[in-house]
Structures are given as C-alpha cells and as structure tokens.
Amino acid sequence: MESVTVHPTMPNTDDKLHIAMFPWLAFGHMIPYLELAKLIAGKGHKISFISTPRNIDRLPSLPPNLSTRITFVKLPLPENPNLPEGAEATSDLPEDEVAHLKTAFDSLDEPITQFLKSSNPDWLLFDFAPYWLPEIARNLGIPTAFFSIFIASSFTYLGTTSPEAPPDDRKLPEDYTVSPKWVPFPSTVALRLFEVLRLYKRITGDETNVSDLYRFMGSARGCDVIAMRSCEEFEPEWLSLVQVIHGKSVLPIGLLSTTANDDDDKDTWPSIKEWLDRQRKNTVVYVAFGTEAMPCQEEVTEIALGLEKSGLPFFWVLKTKQGTDAVKLPEGFEERNEGRGVVCRGWAPQLKILAHDSVGVFLSHSGWSSVVEALTFGRPLVLLPMSNDQGLNARLFGEKKVGYELPRDDGDGSFTSEAVAESLRMVIEKEEGRAYRDKVKELKHLVGDRKRQNLYVDKFLDYLTTHQRRRSI
C-alpha cells in the first residue's frame, strides 16, 4: 500500500495541505473525485486517493505534472463469498448485487483507520457510503468534508439532519413522489412512482444492509462541512436550503468538467470523427447512458425503433449485459440504418463526440457528469433517467429547460418508440424545442468558463486552509 506520511506533531506551516479522498466504489463517483484531486494537486497540495487496487488500476492516467502530488492508496477489499472475483466497483455487478459490495466496503473501516493514523492528513473528503467514517476521523483529530457528487436539489430531497428542520416521516412509496415538506418553494424534484419502486429496497434497507438514506444522513450529520459538485449560478436556492436543513456550512466546489486524455482515444477517434464530419451541423443524435446504466430489452427495442422513426443520423454507444441476459437490437435494424446510424459497442470518446459540431442532441440518462459535459459544449438533452439520482436530476433539468424528459408511464416507466422519435425531433429542430436549445447555449458560457469554475476550488481550499491553520495553533 502506498501512502504519504505526515508526522502527527508537525503542524502544516506552508499552507499546502495533505488531503485524503475516499469515494464510493462507482466510477460515477471516483471520476469526479479524481477531477477535484487534479485541480487541488495543480495548486500544489498533496492528495492521497484511496480506493481498491483494481479500481485504481482502471482510473484514467494522471498528467505527468501531477503524478508526484497524487498518491494512490490501494486498500484491498476483504473477501466476500457473495462477490464474484474481481468485483470492486458497481459496474462489475448487477444492480441487485451492489448491496454485497456495500457490505465489503464497510469492512474497510479498519484498514482506512490504520492509514489515517499513519498519514495524519489535514483533511479527509469522503462519500455518502462510509457513514461510519466521520467518527473514526474525529477520534483521530482529522476534520472531514462530505463531498457529494450529487447536485444540491437531489441532496435536499434525501432528508434532513438539523433539529430545526421538519423530520422525515415518509413511509409509503407514494410519500416519495411529491416534493418534501422541508422544500419551501414550488418544485417538481421528486421521484416518480416507478422510480421509487425500483429503488425502494435501497431507500428502506433490509436485515443485511442499512439503507442508502441512512448512509447519506449519517455522513451529512457526522461531517464538519458539506462540499457539493454545484455552483451558485446554477441552483442557488437549493444550495442555501441544504445549509438550512443540515445546519452546517455548504461549500460548492464548481461543476468539475471532465478533462480529456488524448492517449485514451487515439485508436478510436479518427474513424468516429470521419463519420461525424460527413453529417450536417446540429443533426446527429448522440445516445449514451454512462458507465453503468444499461437499458433492458424492451427499452433497447423502443430506443432503436425511435431512432429509426426520427429519420435523424445517430451515434449510439450501446453497453449491454453479457451472456444469456444480453439484449438484442431489432432484427435488421443495423442493416436498415447503415450509413445513417452507428452502433458502438465499445468505449467511445464522449467529450470529443459532444464537441463535434454535427451533434444536435444528446439522449442521456441524466447523470450529472454527462450533463455537465453536454452543457460544456452547448448540446441540448433528451433525458431518459435509469436509476439512482437520475430521476431527481431530470426533474430539475426539466424545470431549468436544460433537457426535455422523455414521456413515460408513471406506473412502470415504459415508453414508446414514437415518444423517442418525437422528443428527439422536437428538441433538435422544432420551434417548441427552441427553449432547450437556447438555454444550453446560455449555460455553455457558465460551465465552459474554467476560470470561473476554478474560483470555486480556490474558495474551497481557502476554507480548508483557514480551518487547518486554526487546528494547528
């Protein structure tokens, strides 16, 4: 195990911090943590990035100038008979087996305690899952920040910890389909019934695992400060509300636009670019659902037929389960759409695709990282949330006209190919879609303004440094 050792009796005197980071074992969490780590390391601070060996080996390579400031700390997962060999991230497992990964993750409490004792970082940034970690850090005299990769509106929906805020008395699935009573302004940010039912075991927990809400609230209650992947210009009312309902400082750290690594796509990009170059400007539908969201057979069929009915050129990054659970495209689909559409079954350089001026709309699962990338290049969205916080995101993005949510049945979440085709055509070319096209152009200047977003990281580090200086006195 690699580590950075800081002598516990030596106060930090040069205003350069040693920050430990411990994200949840999902790449949708690890990548934003790594982006923040790179920004902080670029300002001269030291980072200990803690995860499991296989996850660390799968992370994007670091820029050479940062490799000496970011140390990867590998903590092997304890053996768990319910986990397949090599399963160290949520993407390695079906969704109904992720609970076993959380159980194994909780067993890292002792190894991370030993690491924190030996390295004595100035700050520990941790994710929602290790609700037990703030107490360990407090006993070691290490201040903590709960760094949430969720936007403030979704964070607010999950619950409250301040005694001044209304208690969370939601019990039935239907209770989760309306805006919580601690939200004092009109909002559509709530789960739809089919989303609640899909997530209900994770909302309530069971005899083998505490609920995700329990983890969230324990982490929010135990931390010293809440850091959030958001900014004042995007959701100011929600950031203020998080501070009220949790009774502690909330620090936005900016949107953390992903930085591309040209080495990762040098083999795949030329042929993709050649195809995109042949398409007219603002006409291509780009379809991708992140690293983990996989549509089921019925959804794949309706998406495919909808793309075909739209008449629009498309580039579809299709990730499917392997073996007997593998989904199939409609018979003859690829042959009928040869030349007009591309189905990519491997990795694709999303940032470069979104940057290409032939792309006119992004059909996405509403994951925050993907939406930030779309906004960076001013691409309007059609939203098809799959799981986790994506439905909550989609409601806020719909309110703000960032994306149009694909119409679905509220009870089972089903949708039709006609809805896919009509939604795509509306956002990409019709007059009623102009509000979405105009809004993302407006937000492009906010999200793509690296200097403005960088100021959030500076303010965050100022807070951490000031707090650390007081601790050293």
Side-chain angles (χ1 to χ4, degrees), residues 376-411:
T376 300
F377 301 105
R379 305 300 174 206
L381 294 125
V382 170
L383 305 171
L384 184 62
M386 299 277 178
S387 63
N388 301 325
D389 61 323
Q390 294 158 15
L392 299 173
N393 291 350
R395 309 297 110 77
L396 183 74
F397 301 151
E399 284 183 10
K400 293 184 176 292
K401 299 296 184 185
V402 168
Y404 175 75
E405 189 170 355
L406 189 77
R408 302 167 83 164
D409 183 275
D410 201 50

Side-chain angles (χ1 to χ4, degrees), residues 44-113:
H45 303 280
K46 292 191 293 184
I47 300 290
S48 290
F49 192 99
I50 308 164
S51 193
T52 63
R54 186 161 180 253
N55 286 338
I56 285 173
D57 291 343
R58 289 183 285 179
L59 289 172
S61 54
L62 293 174
N65 64 311
L66 300 180
S67 58
T68 59
R69 294 201 184 109
I70 299 178
T71 300
F72 291 109
V73 181
K74 296 181 176 181
L75 299 184
L77 272 183
E79 284 191 24
N80 186 309
N82 295 311
L83 285 179
E85 185 178 352
E88 297 184 10
T90 54
S91 56
D92 300 325
L93 295 162
E95 191 167 346
D96 59 359
E97 292 184 23
V98 169
H100 300 311
L101 187 64
K102 289 182 177 133
T103 300
F105 182 77
D106 289 341
S107 299
L108 292 176
D109 57 344
E110 183 57 32
I112 196 169
T113 300

